[in-house]
Amino acid sequence: MDLDRTFWEGRYHTGETGWDLGGPSTPLKEYLDQLANKDLKILIPGGGRAWEAEYAHRQGFRNVFVIDLTDAPFKDLLSRCPDFPKDHLIVGDFFQHEGPYDRILEQTFFCALDPALRERYVAHMHKLLKPGGKLVGVLFNDTLNTDRPPFGGFKADYAPIFHRHFANVSMEPCHNSIKPRAGRELWLCAVKEPAYVPIDCNLYDRYESAATLRQRVRLTLANGSTCEGLIADLFHRDKAEWLRLDTGAEVRLDRVAKFELAG
Ligand SMILES: C[S@@+](CC[C@H](N)C(=O)[O-])C[C@H]1O[C@@H](n2cnc3c(N)ncnc32)[C@H](O)[C@@H]1O
């Protein structure tokens, strides 16, 4: 099955749009409600009739963008909400789209894609975000279909893919799903690591010294976790300084809250 523009356009033309809630979903609505900064640049990929984009727009968010393979659902959005900025409605392929965005909202886009594209989806989401930006939204945690959308899956399937690309990922049972989806959704929040803040050169010298003298170190990270070992390598990646412990753990140096020599 080719899940291309013709396929999705056909679904809108025949009215086979069972995913469409006819209003903003509770999880995304409540997420938007607690965002104070109305200037955030927000993307809703595979947004369809874009009820959440309309809601955000009516709440005063000024930089909400929607991308979809077909403009069929955008006509519906514009008839409901004629003052939604037309140049924020992008007809095109998510995988060709460029950012960057502060927030990306997910709802029934991931499950609409062939599961073979999941790794590409997560890598591209990461690329589309600004440093410190977040991908948030709902993912099905249910079997669903294997041969057509919506494609199913579970946290255990998704988590390794997200962890390969994002340093900080949470995926928990969604507490405010709409009734028909209750107990079958995860609330996803994947945060792109913030821009690197160079560390003090005296501190860098201490890492180098511990590496040269083969002293064990204990690191407490900004998220509260700890790791311990010998520093096997100090290196640069993506304009940031990193270390690798002999355990294989890699740590970006500005994520270390406390550095100690371990006994
Ligand atoms: C299941 S619908 C979900 C629509 C909307 N998110 C909702 O919850 O009502 C999936 C949407 O993704 C769009 N889509 C599928 N593949 C896409 C791609 N590669 N790039 C952009 N949009 C895509 C389809 O046209 C369709 O509107």
Side-chain angles (χ1 to χ4, degrees):
M1 180 182 285
D2 250 348
L3 298 175
D4 56 8
R5 181 181 170 147
T6 311
F7 171 86
W8 290 105
E9 220 153 44
R11 298 288 297 258
Y12 285 104
H13 286 143
T14 54
E16 294 169 272
T17 54
W19 60 79
D20 192 298
L21 302 181
S25 78
T26 327
L28 293 188
K29 178 183 171 298
E30 292 186 6
Y31 178 77
L32 288 163
D33 286 343
Q34 54 78 53
L35 288 179
N37 182 356
K38 307 278 183 185
D39 290 324
L40 289 173
K41 194 171 172 199
I42 299 174
L43 177 68
I44 308 184
R49 294 196 180 101
W51 299 96
E52 291 74 24
E54 176 186 356
Y55 179 75
H57 176 73
R58 292 192 192 282
Q59 298 307 305
F61 288 91
R62 284 174 281 276
N63 292 305
V64 183
F65 292 77
V66 187
I67 182 167
D68 203 287
L69 275 182
T70 160
D71 64 351
F74 292 164
K75 292 177 188 150
D76 190 83
L77 168 67
L78 287 171
S79 70
R80 301 190 318 258
C81 187
D83 62 342
F84 194 94
K86 291 185 187 53
D87 56 337
H88 288 197
L89 296 174
I90 304 153
V91 180
D93 182 2
F94 160 78
F95 292 101
Q96 305 300 324
H97 187 57
E98 289 181 10
Y101 292 91
D102 297 296
R103 297 286 184 282
I104 304 181
L105 306 187
E106 162 58 48
Q107 180 171 261
T108 64
F109 177 49
F110 182 80
C111 69
L113 298 172
D114 184 324
L117 292 173
R118 286 179 179 173
E119 187 90 40
R120 264 187 79 195
Y121 163 102
V122 180
H124 197 60
M125 286 290 188
H126 185 269
K127 195 171 164 205
L128 282 171
L129 286 166
K130 297 179 187 175
K134 295 179 186 176
L135 164 64
V136 295
V138 274
L139 298 177
F140 278 112
N141 194 37
D142 199 359
T143 312
L144 304 180
N145 304 324
T146 53
D147 59 345
R148 65 190 187 287
F151 293 100
F154 293 91
K155 179 174 177 176
D157 307 318
Y158 311 148
I161 310 176
F162 281 89
H163 283 291
R164 272 198 287 282
H165 298 272
F166 285 88
N168 186 340
V169 180
S170 71
M171 232 178 250
E172 298 306 326
C174 186
H175 69 88
N176 54 359
S177 296
I178 58 158
K179 237 184 183 164
R181 295 180 187 172
R184 303 193 297 131
E185 281 185 327
L186 299 165
W187 178 255
L188 164 74
C189 178
V191 188
K192 183 164 174 166
E193 48 302 334
Y196 185 69
V197 180
I199 64 162
D200 185 274
C201 54
N202 291 326
L203 180 55
Y204 191 85
D205 289 348
R206 290 183 66 202
Y207 286 113
E208 274 196 327
S209 160
T212 309
L213 299 173
R214 298 194 57 73
Q215 294 170 310
R216 280 184 78 76
V217 298
R218 184 181 307 114
L219 308 174
T220 307
L221 307 187
N223 64 8
S225 65
T226 57
C227 51
E228 195 173 312
L230 293 171
I231 299 177
D233 196 11
L234 280 160
F235 60 98
H236 283 80
R237 186 167 66 211
D238 302 334
K239 299 181 191 155
E241 294 162 311
W242 292 72
L243 64 74
R244 185 178 307 109
L245 295 177
D246 58 348
T247 57
E250 292 186 345
V251 179
R252 208 174 84 169
L253 296 192
D254 66 340
R255 309 310 295 153
V256 179
K258 192 170 169 199
F259 164 76
E260 301 164 284
L261 293 178

